[in-house]
Amino acid sequence: MKRSKSEFWGFVGPSLFAFALVVIIPLIFGIYYSFTDWDGISSQINFIGLSNYVEVFKDKSFVDAFIFTSKFTIASVITINLIGFSLAILVTRGMKISNLLRTIFFMPNLIGGLILGFIWNFIFTKGFASLGELTGQRWLMGWLSNQETGFWGLVILMAWQMSGYMMVIYIAAIQNIPQELVEASQIDGANAWERTKHIIFPLVRPAFTVSLFLTLSNSFKLFDQNLSLTAGGPANSTQMLALDIYNTAFKFNEMGVAQAKAVIFFLIVGGVTLTQVYFTKKGEVEM
Amino acid sequence: MDKNKKVTLNIIGILTGLLFLSPFYIMLVNSFKTKKELFMDALALPSTLKFDNYIGAWERLDFLKVFFNSMLITVGSIVLIIIFSAMAAWMLQRTKSKLSNLIFFMFIGSMLIPFQAVMLPLIRVMGKLNFLNMPGLMFIYLGFGSSLSIFLYHGFVKGIPTALDEAATIDGCNSWQTFWYIIFPILKPITMTVAILNAVWIWNDFLLPSLVINRPETHTIQLRIFFFFGEYTKQWHLALAGLVLAIIPVIIFYFFAQKHIIKSVTAGSVK
């Protein structure tokens, strides 16, 4: 069907206009600003070449944040997917309470990250302390007061929040497995482990690609939870990349440096997730 | 499955369920305690069931007001996203040209851009245009929400036969009428998905409102909770009551729309 140009722009225009003004133009400006001495206050913006980038690589807080974020991402991706997959297996066994359990496991996802962080802030600092006193377990005391407990605090929080989401994705995949295949394997004498390894795992692989992508990019971009659980403390030891960019911009007003960090952040997130999707997609089997 | 196995499975299920619920339980129990009680022991039950903390938190948060603000921003943004994304996706899918492909892939490709990469210039641009606070925020959500929404609509439109569009044209409909009378009603299931996914995101968003909203009377729930915590750091009894208040609307929403929510999340992520 032939449509006039004006009709095309009439339908596509509004979204495209908002998208261009909010995403495309700021992205282009952002790349430009990363080469300037923009401080957010003075109207004079000068081109200074690569010096912001040089500064970023010399900036200890950025390097620390990068290392912390990477470690956190590895730990949280593994934890979330292991728990998420286990939950999916658990609730697809035909129990009467399965539906109730799904509802419960998924619930934390609907609550904002900022609020979740505050809730767990209370649990780790007060709840854990009381439990530690009650049971005499010293490791439960003083949570979030050093890097290690802050790290595991974030991992636990994210596992609680996101594994229900991954569960939903894995359930959809498990339910799509043709029953004939499972029955056939049973007739052939496969035990539960063999069945999981040769039938279930290969067939849920596409869900694995998606879950890995979501957990990877969410963990890497984490901001709200980081802010409300530890606020990066103590002494910036649990500060992740997004929070570091935020602080560089708004605490220290180094807009140009913050923008250079943001550009590097974009390249890292894009690079890591695209690589992951490429490799996990490669091994998928077609049905 | 034999009976023993079933019992074990149920026990594991119940225990895991309780473990997942325990943070909510701890929060709820402590939200009823006095400051002193809470300081003594965070695990004990409250001695009395008084709502003082809730009354205090309600007033300090100005809860009704911020709830209404969050509602207005969320619903307003979603309506904009639904109308304009559905229109754009239909036109992009039905138009076979290089330009239309390019625009579509630009929308999809942008999903890889983390918010931080555009955050600072975005605030500057919007500030320069004097387009902040509620209207500006809704417009920004339209811009950011378009990508996933157009992607979902686009996939759905593909499944609607073009014969339908043609029949409408023969019957004398122009594009506008064809879209609104014929296509849009068929999009209902995917519209539901688009609405829910965007609602969860916008309702819970903190960073963007914190940068764009500079008038206290237009604060959202998330924003007010953040400032509330800054003020009452050491007063967990009030803070927890505030958190419970902030969560209640979400729980009610989940209770009523559970099926749709889970379906939407699956559709949105597996696509």
Side-chain angles (χ1 to χ4, degrees):
Chain A
M1 214 184 314
K2 200 83 189 120
R3 284 207 178 78
S4 70
K5 262 196 171 139
S6 64
E7 272 180 313
F8 180 80
W9 292 116
F11 275 79
V12 178
S15 297
L16 192 61
F17 175 65
F19 176 73
L21 198 63
V22 166
V23 182
I24 301 299
I25 293 175
L27 185 69
I28 296 166
F29 269 100
I31 294 170
Y32 167 69
Y33 284 147
S34 71
F35 297 104
T36 67
D37 62 355
W38 180 33
D39 62 2
I41 302 158
S42 76
S43 54
Q44 180 96 30
I45 295 175
N46 303 307
F47 187 82
I48 53 166
L50 283 170
S51 43
N52 286 331
Y53 287 91
V54 174
E55 192 137 327
V56 171
F57 287 106
K58 281 195 287 190
D59 182 352
K60 194 173 173 307
S61 81
F62 187 77
V63 177
D64 287 347
F66 177 75
I67 295 169
F68 186 82
T69 308
S70 308
K71 278 191 199 158
F72 165 77
T73 303
I74 294 169
S76 91
V77 165
I78 294 172
T79 324
I80 294 168
N81 283 289
L82 269 181
I83 299 176
F85 190 75
S86 313
L87 294 179
I89 298 275
L90 179 71
V91 298
T92 46
R93 290 290 181 84
M95 278 186 288
K96 279 204 184 96
I97 54 165
S98 285
N99 278 333
L100 178 68
L101 288 177
R102 281 179 210 201
T103 307
I104 292 172
F105 294 148
F106 185 76
M107 194 152 51
N109 270 291
L110 295 170
I111 300 165
L114 188 83
I115 293 178
L116 293 181
F118 284 132
I119 296 174
W120 279 91
N121 189 321
F122 177 76
I123 293 170
F124 287 134
T125 50
K126 299 279 169 199
F128 270 36
S130 295
L131 194 66
E133 250 168 63
L134 198 75
T135 57
Q137 299 287 325
R138 292 202 60 84
W139 61 277
L140 288 167
M141 321 284 253
W143 268 59
L144 308 184
S145 65
N146 57 46
Q147 190 185 34
E148 201 193 339
T149 51
F151 177 86
W152 290 110
L154 279 166
V155 173
I156 293 171
L157 160 60
M158 283 302 279
W160 183 67
Q161 183 188 0
M162 278 199 80
S163 49
Y165 196 108
M166 298 310 124
M167 172 198 72
V168 167
I169 297 173
Y170 285 126
I171 289 173
I174 290 171
Q175 280 170 343
N176 273 336
I177 295 171
Q179 270 310 300
E180 307 92 78
L181 276 180
V182 178
E183 278 159 26
S185 74
Q186 275 168 333
I187 293 167
D188 290 346
N191 62 32
W193 168 241
E194 285 167 335
R195 215 161 45 240
T196 311
K197 192 174 162 212
H198 296 296
I199 310 279
I200 298 179
F201 267 144
L203 291 177
V204 298
R205 185 91 191 228
F208 187 64
T209 304
V210 175
S211 304
L212 212 57
F213 172 78
L214 288 173
T215 42
L216 199 62
S217 61
N218 276 340
S219 304
F220 226 92
K221 293 191 288 192
L222 201 70
F223 178 80
D224 294 6
Q225 290 88 333
N226 192 198
L227 180 69
S228 56
L229 190 74
T230 65
N236 290 351
S237 62
T238 63
Q239 184 167 272
M240 294 176 66
L241 284 168
L243 188 57
D244 180 52
I245 294 171
Y246 182 87
N247 286 336
T248 311
F250 299 112
K251 239 191 208 165
F252 306 111
N253 278 327
E254 294 180 350
M255 295 288 176
V257 179
Q259 193 52 48
K261 287 181 177 181
V263 172
I264 297 171
F265 184 56
F266 170 34
L267 295 177
I268 297 172
V269 174
V272 168
T273 45
L274 283 180
T275 314
Q276 173 262 318
V277 170
Y278 174 76
F279 279 108
T280 42
K281 261 224 172 309
K282 230 167 96 176
E284 281 176 16
V285 288
E286 295 282 336
M287 272 290 286
Chain B
M1 211 186 307
D2 61 81
K3 209 162 173 216
N4 264 337
K5 226 173 165 180
K6 208 154 201 167
V7 172
T8 328
L9 204 60
N10 271 292
I11 291 172
I12 295 173
I14 291 167
L15 289 179
T16 335
L18 289 177
L19 188 70
F20 261 75
L21 285 176
S22 58
F24 291 117
Y25 170 78
I26 295 173
M27 173 176 62
L28 198 65
V29 164
N30 285 291
S31 69
F32 285 102
K33 290 182 189 168
T34 61
K35 196 178 173 186
K36 204 173 146 206
E37 265 183 292
L38 203 147
F39 181 74
M40 301 276 288
D41 187 356
L43 298 176
L45 284 169
S47 58
T48 50
L49 195 71
K50 278 205 270 194
F51 286 87
D52 296 6
N53 296 339
Y54 282 90
I55 296 166
W58 179 283
E59 280 169 1
R60 287 180 175 87
L61 284 172
D62 202 356
F63 191 75
L64 216 52
K65 176 122 205 175
V66 292
F67 172 79
F68 180 73
N69 288 341
S70 278
M71 202 69 173
L72 193 68
I73 289 169
T74 308
V75 173
S77 309
I78 291 174
V79 170
L80 290 179
I81 291 173
I82 287 175
I83 293 175
F84 294 126
S85 299
M87 281 167 52
W90 177 65
M91 192 50 94
L92 288 173
Q93 206 281 322
R94 293 305 199 230
T95 311
K96 302 274 174 260
S97 73
K98 270 195 185 136
L99 179 70
S100 132
N101 274 335
L102 178 77
I103 294 174
F104 180 64
F105 282 112
M106 219 165 61
F107 274 116
I108 307 313
S110 76
M111 283 196 255
L112 276 176
I113 303 172
F115 177 67
Q116 273 74 16
V118 295
M119 171 173 80
L120 302 174
L122 171 70
I123 305 312
R124 188 179 153 89
V125 168
M126 295 303 276
K128 278 251 152 95
L129 296 174
N130 217 347
F131 197 32
L132 296 169
N133 291 309
M134 273 204 201
L137 191 57
M138 287 186 211
F139 181 80
I140 297 177
Y141 281 132
L142 171 64
F144 282 118
S146 298
S147 295
L148 179 68
S149 310
I150 288 180
F151 178 60
L152 292 170
Y153 274 124
H154 195 273
F156 197 87
V157 170
K158 225 181 261 173
I160 303 172
T162 44
L164 223 57
D165 303 41
E166 280 150 19
T169 315
I170 291 165
D171 287 345
C173 285
N174 60 31
S175 289
W176 182 256
Q177 290 164 325
T178 306
F179 179 75
W180 286 111
Y181 295 136
I182 313 293
I183 304 298
F184 192 69
I186 304 176
L187 297 177
K188 204 179 152 193
I190 199 74
T191 296
M192 195 73 163
T193 299
V194 169
I196 286 175
L197 291 179
N198 284 302
V200 173
W201 159 53
I202 294 171
W203 182 272
N204 288 326
D205 194 25
F206 160 72
L207 183 53
L208 189 55
S210 81
L211 296 169
V212 173
I213 289 186
N214 48 30
R215 285 216 301 265
E217 67 270 22
T218 53
H219 272 181
T220 63
I221 293 183
Q222 309 291 329
L223 214 48
R224 190 56 65 85
I225 285 279
F226 181 71
F227 289 117
F228 185 66
F229 262 81
E231 267 176 76
Y232 301 98
T233 344
K234 292 277 171 275
Q235 311 204 36
W236 274 112
H237 59 300
L238 278 177
L240 287 171
L243 287 178
V244 175
L245 284 177
I247 290 177
I248 288 173
V250 180
I251 303 287
I252 294 173
F253 173 61
Y254 188 37
F255 186 76
F256 283 108
Q258 204 195 110
K259 249 199 197 135
H260 295 295
I261 292 172
I262 302 226
K263 221 189 278 165
S264 302
V265 165
T266 322
S269 51
V270 181
K271 265 257 161 198

